[in-house]
Every structure is written in structure tokens, then in C-alpha cells.
Amino acid sequence: MFSLVTLLVHLFLSLPSAWLVQASGFTTYRQLVEGANNDYNVAYQPLDRSDTLFVNVQILPNGSDHTCLWNDFTAMCNNHAGKNISVIPRMRYGKADGSITPEPDDANIIISDLNDWIGVLNSTSSIINIPIVQAGVLGQYGEWHHGPFCKDAGASSSSASLALKQKIVDGLLSTGVAQVALRNPRDHHVLAPNITAVTIHDDCIMAQGANGNDSGTFVEGDGQSWAYWKSYTQNVARINGGFGGEGCEDDPTNHNRYNWTDWATVCSTGSNGLITYINNMQISYLNCVKRRD
């Protein structure tokens, strides 16, 4: 994993003074894992060149009582409150060793966990600013892919999957947080096309450079090309705001893989530079750059 601070330093030190980048924040990554010792991440830690925490809240997929982890998240919010810090959380499933799993195949377990999470957000949103909550819950990494209820996206989803996805969106909206972010533009188009409080997050930004499909974030489907879904996302970002995510490198066998250590390109104002992508896609926040090999 590349250092976000290193990326940030190279990016902004390279900017010509006449250039202004679309107002974007760089988030500091944290993870709370059920069954692990989260004391370090719960305690207040100064944020390096950032005023926002991106937090994965990882629960066990066995339908157990998650009170200890909910308490950790609440304590983390309390410890960072009053310091002009915001939190962007995502609840997902995984193991106590930190590895991830998809959601359970029992919708009743998921709904029970979701309701608990909604309650936690209701209580913590009065403690600290939560501008966006990523929908999470379903799929590997909570990113709505490769799980029992997210085998496909958008109109191609099964009726059971769509019903559960809608329940997640509606439930998170009920918490009063400013926005809910969905991982896939096709799901956004089906579930919340006209709701400005629902936006999109992209966890494969620039995977093949500024002109790629971001490792399938923008993928052909529901009768439309991948370019259509990229344009759709751009429009959501322009109207709704709150679009963001994290950069990553595509599979090393992909010849179009973006080289995040080529600082001359990454920091350039050219067509394949991060600055251009931020401006074109109106990105609001960026997490760390994540290697996939």
C-alpha cells in the first residue's frame, strides 16, 4: 500500500500556482474489527494532512451480538469529537483476524445487523459530523460485489437482492446523515436516481488511468455501455456531490494498469493526471491508494 501522505505531498507540491484543484479532502484510514483489540484506532490520533476519518467497521457474519464493536465505534467518535474531524464509515463483514468475508446468506441476520448499525449511526451522528455513510453491508469489502445478495447490479439484480439493497438505502437515509453512498452506478440508477442524498463511491479510482473503467466500476450493463455509466456517475457527482473513494492499481496482468509511482504523470495537469481526474469527476474525498497484487 502506498503512503497517502507521500501521494499528497507529491501532488500538491507539483501544482502550478495558477491551478486550483476541485475541493477534495484526503481521508485518514481507520479500521475497527470485531474480535480484535481496537484500542489504538479508538483512541484519538492526530490526523496527518486530513480532517476526515474513513472507517471500516467490520463485524462477524454469524449473527452474534456486536455490542462491543458498536461501543468501540461510539468511543472512537467521542474521542475525536470537538476537534473539527468528520467520519465517513462503512459497515462490512469479516473475521476477527481482519480478513474480509461477504455478507451471510441469511437475509434476517443482515437485516438485524443493519438495524443495529442504524441505531449506532443515529446516536453517533449527534456526537461527530458524519457527512457520508457508505452503504456497505453487502459483498466483499462491503462493496456490493461477490456476495449472496450482490451477484449482479442494477436492473440485473434478483428481486430478493433489490429488496435488500433498497432496505439498506432507506434504512441509512433514515439516520439523518447527510448522504448515503452506493458502490455501483447501476444500483444508484435503480434504487435512488432522483434522491440527492444518495451519491456514489468508487474504490478503484484511476485503476487503468483517467480514461479507464475503474476496474469495472463503470461496466457495460442494463443496456448501456461502460462509458454511459461513467458519464452517469459524473452527473451524480455534479448534482448530488459527495462522490469519492480510493485509488487502486488494477491486476498486474492488465497492460493498462496505472502506475501510481510515476509521479510525473500522477501529479501532472495532463489528461492522465490525478488532478485532471479529480476535476473532471468532481471528487470530494480520496482514501489511500490500494495495491491489488
Side-chain angles (χ1 to χ4, degrees):
M1 182 179 293
F2 296 118
S3 165
L4 178 60
V5 175
T6 303
L7 173 62
L8 184 62
V9 169
H10 278 268
L11 174 62
F12 284 99
L13 290 183
S14 69
L15 276 175
S17 59
W19 268 84
L20 291 178
V21 180
Q22 164 76 24
S24 297
F26 287 78
T27 66
T28 298
Y29 183 86
R30 295 282 172 83
Q31 182 163 292
L32 302 177
V33 176
E34 185 172 16
N37 185 329
N38 296 307
D39 289 351
Y40 180 84
N41 285 329
V42 166
Y44 172 70
Q45 309 290 341
L47 277 60
D48 195 351
R49 297 176 181 267
S50 171
D51 63 3
T52 303
L53 289 171
F54 174 76
V55 185
N56 276 316
V57 182
Q58 182 166 303
I59 67 172
L60 298 172
N62 55 10
S64 57
D65 183 344
H66 311 297
T67 300
C68 287
L69 190 65
W70 303 143
N71 288 344
D72 280 349
F73 178 73
T74 302
M76 187 202 72
C77 291
N78 274 308
N79 291 337
H80 291 79
K83 298 178 174 65
N84 295 316
I85 292 174
S86 299
V87 173
I88 298 175
R90 178 201 298 173
M91 191 270 272
R92 69 185 190 188
Y93 288 98
K95 300 177 182 179
D97 63 6
S99 61
I100 54 95
T101 65
E103 75 276 15
D105 57 11
D106 185 339
N108 291 322
I109 292 177
I110 300 170
I111 292 170
S112 176
D113 292 340
L114 172 65
N115 288 336
D116 286 348
W117 178 228
I118 289 169
V120 172
L121 291 172
N122 274 322
S123 62
T124 52
S125 60
S126 63
I127 297 171
I128 198 166
N129 181 42
I130 303 179
I132 298 168
V133 57
Q134 294 189 354
V137 183
L138 302 181
Q140 301 277 8
Y141 301 99
E143 292 179 10
W144 288 32
H145 62 76
H146 294 92
F149 292 94
C150 48
K151 295 178 179 178
D152 212 328
S156 300
S157 302
S158 69
S159 57
S161 294
L162 278 178
L164 186 54
K165 290 175 178 179
Q166 191 71 63
K167 189 176 289 290
I168 292 169
V169 173
D170 293 345
L172 294 176
L173 283 174
S174 74
T175 63
V177 299
Q179 285 189 303
V180 175
L182 306 186
R183 177 66 182 90
N184 194 298
R186 290 167 58 198
D187 284 318
H188 185 281
H189 182 259
V190 170
L191 298 171
N194 301 310
I195 302 176
T196 56
V198 181
T199 186
I200 296 170
H201 70 94
D202 178 357
D203 291 325
C204 286
I205 288 172
M206 299 270 287
Q208 306 96 21
N211 301 306
N213 72 354
D214 286 5
S215 289
T217 297
F218 318 119
V219 66
E220 180 178 353
D222 295 347
Q224 301 291 349
S225 67
W226 74 264
Y228 172 89
W229 293 115
K230 187 168 187 175
S231 177
Y232 177 90
T233 301
Q234 191 174 28
N235 201 45
V236 170
R238 179 179 61 85
I239 296 173
N240 299 9
F243 173 62
E246 65 187 31
C248 78
E249 289 187 330
D250 205 340
D251 187 290
T253 61
N254 189 329
H255 70 281
N256 291 322
R257 182 187 194 189
Y258 193 66
N259 182 4
W260 284 95
T261 59
D262 176 7
W263 302 116
T265 300
V266 174
C267 302
S268 77
T269 57
S271 62
N272 207 26
L274 180 59
I275 298 163
T276 301
Y277 193 89
I278 287 172
N279 283 319
N280 287 344
M281 296 301 294
Q282 301 192 47
I283 291 174
S284 297
Y285 65 94
L286 282 171
N287 304 336
C288 55
V289 177
K290 181 176 62 179
R291 296 177 82 90
R292 297 185 64 189
D293 49 329

